[in-house]
């Protein structure tokens, strides 16, 4: 079903659960390692046994401050942990410790860049600390549900955006920037498959020009960028279809089924008052001093948005190219190493990293850290293009050999006799031979068929094995054909 999207506007806000990269849980010393045997990493505190008392993990406070500084937010000097009460099989104590009225981080924003070099500022409402619940297991228990409480008490930072996004693409772009930020800050490993970084999307639609928000549906626990885009697009279409058909949107929580590419109703959406929040009587308010904030600020690394701005200024890159290159610390480091080895040919280096290398990595499903081509060798390849030792066309064949780890750039050029032909007299001789072999085309070109110029370029490149300097070839060919 496709509707006239000119008439409609989507309103999207995201709630991201970033699992904080601590070794122990939010309020206990139990381990947080992924993949442990079920129910081996939950202690009486995580399960809320009578008589136990939670003790706040100091590391999570530092991590929350880092995030707050990274999104230009206000860090609360005093925040309060609250109990969020609800019944669910994987929550044996009947409440989750979270933050409600006084979260640790308030406000802030992220600037998100797009392919057409535009950018948009997405506001962030708040970020609060909370413990994760356990997990229900269905697959291994026919007719029954198993409960694994290893995740109970794992520290999460829930980062809630303003409803500032208007399309699934904007939502994914924002999510990628946030994903990159938490990894730079080293507060979350960002592993979406393991659930360390997952998102709920609040989606509503309204007719363009309206200011009142439509009724929203919450799409729960989506754990890949691709699924986020597909789930939101489906939901926008579904809601427009219902309204155009005379129906009304129900406020509810929905699940995305990637196999059927659709969302389906899970439960009606609870309001905050359904959870009967109240301050946790076992935990004191969280007090954060100016000194601690200043200390954490001093230790922050160069963050992706700062790095992107530096790349634009220092390397004269477009906003979009710079955004891709700073998407992870490893990617940025690799690029800067290529630039160094290329004799500072930053723009050419960016083209080769983004187009050739990332294309090849994506095809194989590799991360930048798994690249078979060391940054120094790719830099050397860019250097040899820049100093006109080889043509761009030959460089592509050398790139393939580097990918297959056959030899170094200079050895491949030497052994293959791949040096670019820049000797003008040799190029002129070749051109003369080609014109002599194709007299009719030469006559037609001179009579006005300018498209034939490409034919002669192709013939010369073919005859030389792609080794002629293209610029020289163009200049000399024009002279000869005039």
């Amino acid at each position: 079903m496709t509707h006239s999207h000119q008439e409609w506007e989507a309103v999207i806000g995201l709630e991201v659960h970033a699992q904080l990269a601590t070794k122990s849980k939010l309020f206990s010393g139990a381990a947080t390692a992924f993949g442990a045997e079920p129910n081996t990493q939950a202690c009486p505190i995580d399960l809320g046994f009578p008589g136990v008392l939670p003790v706040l993990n100091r590391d999570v406070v530092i991590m929350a401050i880092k995030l707050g500084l990274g999104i230009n937010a206000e860090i609360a000097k005093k925040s309060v942990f609250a109990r969020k009460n609800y019944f669910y099989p994987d929550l044996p104590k009947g409440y989750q410790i979270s933050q409600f009225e006084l979260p640790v981080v308030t406000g802030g924003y992220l600037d998100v860049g797009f392919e057409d070099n535009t950018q948009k500022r997405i506001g962030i409402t708040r970020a609060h600390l909370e413990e994760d619940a356990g997990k229900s297991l269905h697959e291994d228990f026919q007719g029954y549900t198993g409960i694994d409480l290893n995740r109970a008490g794992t520290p999460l930072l829930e980062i809630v955006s303003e409803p500032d996004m208007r399309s699934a693409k904007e939502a994914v772009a924002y999510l990628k920037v946030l994903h990159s930020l938490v990894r730079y800050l080293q507060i979350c490993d960002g592993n979406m498959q393991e659930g360390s970084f997952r998102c709920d999307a609040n989606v509503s639609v309204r007719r363009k020009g309206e200011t009142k928000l439509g009724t929203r549906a919450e799409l729960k626990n989506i754990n890949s960028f691709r699924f986020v885009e597909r789930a939101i697009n489906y939901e926008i279409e579904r809601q427009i279809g219902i309204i155009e058909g005379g129906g009304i949107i129900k406020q509810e929580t929905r699940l995305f089924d990637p196999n059927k590419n659709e969302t389906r109703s899970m439960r009606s959406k609870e309001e905050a008052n359904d959870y009967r929040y109240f301050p946790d009587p076992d935990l004191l308010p969280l007090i954060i001093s100016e000194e601690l904030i200043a200390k954490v600020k001093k230790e922050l690394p160069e963050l992706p948005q700062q790095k992107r701005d530096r790349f634009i200024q220092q390397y004269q890159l477009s906003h979009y190219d710079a955004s891709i290159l700073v998407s992870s610390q490893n990617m940025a480091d690799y690029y800067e190493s290529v630039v160094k080895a290329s004799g500072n040919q930053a723009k050419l280096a960016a083209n080769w990293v983004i187009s050739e290398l990332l294309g090849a990595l994506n095809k194989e499903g590799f991360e930048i850290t798994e690249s078979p081509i060391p940054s120094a060798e790719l830099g050397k390849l860019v250097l040899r293009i820049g100093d006109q030792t080889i043509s761009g066309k030959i460089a592509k064949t050398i790139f393939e050999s580097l990918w297959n780890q056959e030899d170094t750039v200079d050895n491949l050029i030497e052994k293959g006799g791949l040096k670019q032909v820049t000797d003008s007299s040799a190029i002129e001789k070749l051109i003369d031979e080609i014109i002599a072999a194709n007299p009719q085309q030469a006559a037609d070109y001179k009579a006005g068929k300018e498209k034939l110029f490409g034919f002669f370029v192709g013939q010369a490149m073919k005859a030389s094995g792609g080794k002629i300097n293209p610029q020289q070839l163009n200049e000399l060919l024009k002279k000869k054909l005039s």
Side-chain angles (χ1 to χ4, degrees):
M1 52 184 174
T2 304
H3 306 276
S4 173
H5 277 220
Q6 285 84 8
E7 294 174 29
W8 292 95
E9 177 178 72
V11 178
I12 303 159
L14 297 185
E15 296 172 15
V16 171
H17 284 96
Q19 181 178 322
L20 296 175
T22 56
K23 288 185 177 161
S24 59
K25 293 191 176 170
L26 184 51
F27 299 113
S28 81
T32 57
F34 178 80
E37 282 291 308
N39 299 311
T40 57
Q41 294 185 163
C43 73
I45 294 173
D46 308 319
L47 308 183
F49 278 20
V52 298
L53 288 173
V55 177
L56 180 62
N57 183 339
R58 187 176 186 274
D59 289 348
V60 303
V61 179
I62 306 292
M63 291 180 181
I65 295 172
K66 284 183 178 178
L67 188 277
L69 293 170
I71 58 170
N72 308 292
E74 187 185 330
I75 293 149
K77 306 295 179 298
K78 176 184 174 184
S79 63
V80 170
F81 287 101
R83 289 189 180 181
K84 180 181 180 182
N85 297 277
Y86 62 98
F87 172 77
Y88 213 69
D90 59 16
L91 188 72
K93 61 186 178 187
Y95 63 87
Q96 191 178 10
I97 303 178
S98 181
Q99 294 189 309
F100 181 53
E101 285 178 326
L102 294 171
V104 64
V105 170
T106 311
Y109 60 85
L110 284 176
D111 289 329
V112 177
F114 301 96
E115 211 162 335
D116 59 2
N117 279 328
T118 57
Q119 66 170 316
K120 180 171 180 177
R121 179 161 289 183
I122 308 290
I124 291 173
T125 317
R126 58 187 275 153
H128 62 259
L129 289 162
E130 70 177 27
E131 59 178 354
D132 207 349
K135 189 179 178 187
S136 298
L137 307 171
H138 306 287
E139 288 168 6
D140 299 332
F141 305 93
Q142 210 171 7
Y144 296 90
T145 296
I147 301 290
D148 176 9
L149 294 168
N150 280 355
R151 258 185 14 196
T154 298
L156 303 176
L157 196 55
E158 182 172 336
I159 306 154
V160 183
S161 83
E162 293 287 317
D164 286 347
M165 290 152 276
R166 295 289 172 268
S167 69
K169 279 201 184 307
E170 283 187 8
V172 171
Y174 161 80
L175 201 56
K176 284 184 173 173
V177 172
L178 184 58
H179 184 252
S180 164
L181 177 66
V182 298
R183 291 168 75 205
Y184 266 76
L185 291 169
Q186 298 184 349
I187 63 173
C188 170
D189 66 17
N191 191 324
M192 297 178 85
Q193 284 176 335
E194 293 178 2
S196 306
F197 188 87
R198 53 190 198 265
C199 127
D200 302 340
N202 288 303
V203 181
S204 65
V205 296
R206 62 185 174 192
R207 288 191 191 274
K208 280 192 180 164
E210 284 181 1
T211 50
K212 194 181 166 199
L213 292 173
T215 305
R216 72 180 195 274
E218 183 185 41
L219 312 178
K220 204 76 184 153
N221 278 337
I222 322 173
N223 66 349
S224 90
F225 296 124
R226 197 158 49 91
F227 290 171
V228 167
E229 184 164 356
R230 282 166 53 188
I232 291 174
N233 278 334
Y234 176 86
E235 189 56 25
I236 292 170
E237 291 286 336
R238 186 187 75 87
Q239 293 187 15
I240 294 173
I242 289 174
I243 298 171
E244 288 191 342
I248 52 166
I249 305 298
K250 279 193 294 184
Q251 182 163 324
E252 62 183 349
T253 300
R254 299 179 69 84
L255 284 178
F256 176 63
D257 182 338
N259 296 320
K260 292 183 179 168
N261 198 37
E262 64 180 30
T263 64
R264 62 169 185 268
S265 185
M266 182 183 169
R267 57 174 185 256
S268 62
K269 173 72 182 157
E270 297 87 348
E271 298 290 348
N273 55 18
D274 291 332
Y275 291 117
R276 305 182 330 277
Y277 282 97
F278 63 86
D280 192 303
D282 291 338
L283 285 159
L284 291 170
L286 171 59
I287 306 295
I288 298 177
S289 67
E290 286 285 0
E291 291 73 27
L292 181 59
I293 296 171
K295 183 172 179 289
V296 174
K297 191 173 189 175
K298 215 172 164 183
E299 292 166 0
L300 283 185
E302 184 184 36
L303 298 179
Q305 299 205 7
Q306 296 164 337
K307 201 182 277 288
R308 182 201 60 203
D309 293 345
R310 176 168 69 80
F311 278 18
I312 291 171
Q313 195 179 23
Q314 183 177 346
Y315 300 130
Q316 308 293 304
L317 301 181
S318 71
H319 190 286
Y320 184 69
D321 284 356
S323 299
I324 293 175
L325 293 168
V326 304
S327 59
S328 76
Q329 183 74 55
N330 289 327
M331 176 76 74
D333 290 346
Y334 185 99
Y335 167 69
E336 293 214 275
S337 174
V338 173
V339 172
K340 198 174 170 192
S342 74
N344 219 25
Q345 299 185 73
K347 181 72 183 94
L348 194 55
N351 292 346
W352 276 83
V353 171
I354 292 172
S355 302
E356 300 299 324
L357 184 71
L358 280 187
L361 291 172
N362 287 340
K363 200 172 161 191
E364 297 294 330
F366 288 171
E367 295 290 327
I368 187 75
T369 47
E370 298 169 301
S371 169
I373 305 180
S375 54
E377 276 306 304
L378 189 58
K380 180 61 77 67
L381 184 70
V382 174
L383 177 69
R384 294 294 173 240
I385 302 168
D387 67 12
Q388 305 205 341
T389 304
I390 52 170
S391 67
K393 192 174 177 190
I394 292 290
K396 290 197 177 185
T397 63
I398 295 177
F399 178 88
E400 279 184 30
S401 300
L402 291 176
W403 182 266
N404 295 323
Q405 299 180 303
E406 290 169 14
D407 212 332
T408 62
V409 172
D410 284 343
N411 284 348
L412 287 163
I413 294 171
E414 202 58 44
K415 282 185 199 165
L418 300 175
K419 280 189 183 166
Q420 188 163 234
V421 178
T422 52
D423 176 353
S424 295
S425 58
I427 299 172
E428 283 186 63
K429 186 168 173 283
L430 184 69
I431 292 172
D432 287 340
E433 287 168 8
I434 289 167
I435 292 174
N438 299 281
Q440 186 59 50
Q441 283 85 347
D444 289 347
Y445 175 80
K446 286 175 186 172
K449 284 194 178 176
E450 291 184 2
K451 280 186 182 171
L452 283 167
F453 190 78
F455 165 78
F456 286 104
V457 171
Q459 292 293 311
M461 277 297 180
K462 193 176 166 190
S464 69
K467 289 190 284 185
I468 298 183
N469 178 304
Q471 201 181 341
Q472 273 182 295
L473 173 63
N474 281 351
E475 285 168 11
L476 294 170
L477 193 56
K478 266 182 196 161
K479 269 189 205 168
K480 292 277 181 186
L481 285 171
S482 61

